[in-house]
Amino acid sequence: GQQLNQSPQSMFIQEGEDVSMNCTSSSIFNTWLWYKQDPGEGPVLLIALYKAGELTSNGRLTAQFGITRKDSFLNISASIPSDVGIYFCAGRKDGGSQGNLIFGKGTKLSVKP
Amino acid sequence: NAGVTQTPKFRILKIGQSMTLQCTQDMNHNYMYWYRQDPGMGLKLIYYSVGAGITDKGEVPNGYNVSRSTTEDFPLRLELAAPSQTSVYFCASSEGQPGSPLHFGNGTRLTVT
């Protein structure tokens, strides 16, 4: 089935460092969503992107909807210990039904104090 | 604000047993979803519903059944549990407009032995 390639799979960083992760696809998407999942909880929406080229921030988080509509990036600036978790991208294709939200496999972030 | 509530949080089943995972939301969302999450993998859609009385298969529906008799509730039924159904199950809801983000419950961790 349709896949999103999310990278890196995991990251180990020092507190205060910046983080970048991305998702790519061979298909065009009309929506990109970024979620964070803490251990034992469900994913929580961080940022939603609806337009090619769109750059949106949420505090220290910034995400971009790639101009080709086939990729998206999430950056976290000045990481802190509570940033630890798994970050998922999700995309919806043009003309897709509500059932066509596709998730990446996640980027597991570990932050050393 | 309860949001999306799932019960139980944990369950152990023997092979061949059946059970129902409960999901209810209090946001008056028309769209509801069931996903499963396996280690190192993204979320896979099992079933979804666009409104009371309407359900549709997702990517991995085999071995599961759903019903949607009310807007609030979307139970997931496993009839003959198999080890391959060991997973964490997440229910989600959304408003339904194209691109509207999903709101997730905290998951049900199911082990089939």
Side-chain angles (χ1 to χ4, degrees):
Chain A
Q2 178 69 46
Q3 283 195 331
L4 288 182
N5 298 312
Q6 186 172 351
S7 66
Q9 195 172 11
S10 61
M11 302 182 75
F12 297 85
I13 62 168
Q14 204 71 34
E15 183 177 359
E17 290 183 354
D18 297 342
V19 173
S20 286
M21 59 190 79
N22 69 84
C23 270
T24 60
S25 172
S26 56
S27 299
I28 289 174
F29 286 86
N30 62 4
T31 300
W32 284 97
L33 305 169
W34 283 93
Y35 286 86
K36 183 193 177 201
Q37 184 178 25
D38 291 326
E41 298 185 10
V44 174
L45 182 70
L46 298 173
I47 294 177
L49 302 161
Y50 300 108
K51 190 176 171 183
E54 181 181 354
L55 185 71
T56 297
S57 293
N58 178 5
R60 293 178 295 105
L61 277 62
T62 302
Q64 184 161 24
F65 193 139
I67 199 73
T68 65
R69 298 171 66 192
K70 294 182 179 182
D71 56 11
S72 180
F73 303 86
L74 176 70
N75 296 318
I76 305 172
S77 62
S79 59
I80 59 178
S82 62
D83 290 335
V84 164
I86 303 176
Y87 292 79
F88 290 99
C89 63
R92 182 173 287 115
K93 292 167 63 176
D94 273 341
S97 72
Q98 284 294 331
N100 281 357
L101 189 63
I102 299 162
F103 282 83
K105 292 184 179 180
T107 294
K108 186 174 182 180
L109 179 64
S110 301
V111 179
K112 275 188 182 178
Chain B
N1 285 342
V4 178
T5 302
Q6 290 183 238
T7 56
K9 288 190 189 301
F10 305 93
R11 184 74 187 266
I12 298 174
L13 284 182
K14 293 191 187 306
I15 295 171
Q17 286 185 321
S18 61
M19 79 163 291
T20 300
L21 283 67
Q22 301 292 345
C23 175
T24 187
Q25 52 95 6
D26 62 0
M27 296 174 282
N28 203 32
H29 286 167
N30 284 323
Y31 287 67
M32 295 187 75
Y33 313 79
W34 275 104
Y35 287 88
R36 61 177 287 171
Q37 183 180 34
D38 299 308
M41 305 294 288
L43 293 141
K44 302 281 188 188
L45 183 64
I46 304 171
Y47 271 96
Y48 68 104
S49 168
V50 302
I54 306 169
T55 62
D56 215 339
K57 293 179 180 179
E59 186 181 354
V60 289
N62 291 344
Y64 306 95
N65 277 301
V66 294
S67 60
R68 184 91 183 274
S69 56
T70 66
T71 299
E72 295 78 19
D73 301 308
F74 190 40
L76 177 72
R77 179 89 178 154
L78 283 71
E79 289 294 349
L80 289 169
S84 61
Q85 293 177 305
T86 294
S87 189
V88 181
Y89 292 85
F90 288 100
C91 179
S93 71
S94 73
E95 292 177 347
Q97 291 93 334
S100 56
L102 274 60
H103 301 263
F104 285 87
N106 282 335
T108 295
R109 183 176 293 274
L110 176 68
T111 301
V112 182
T113 61

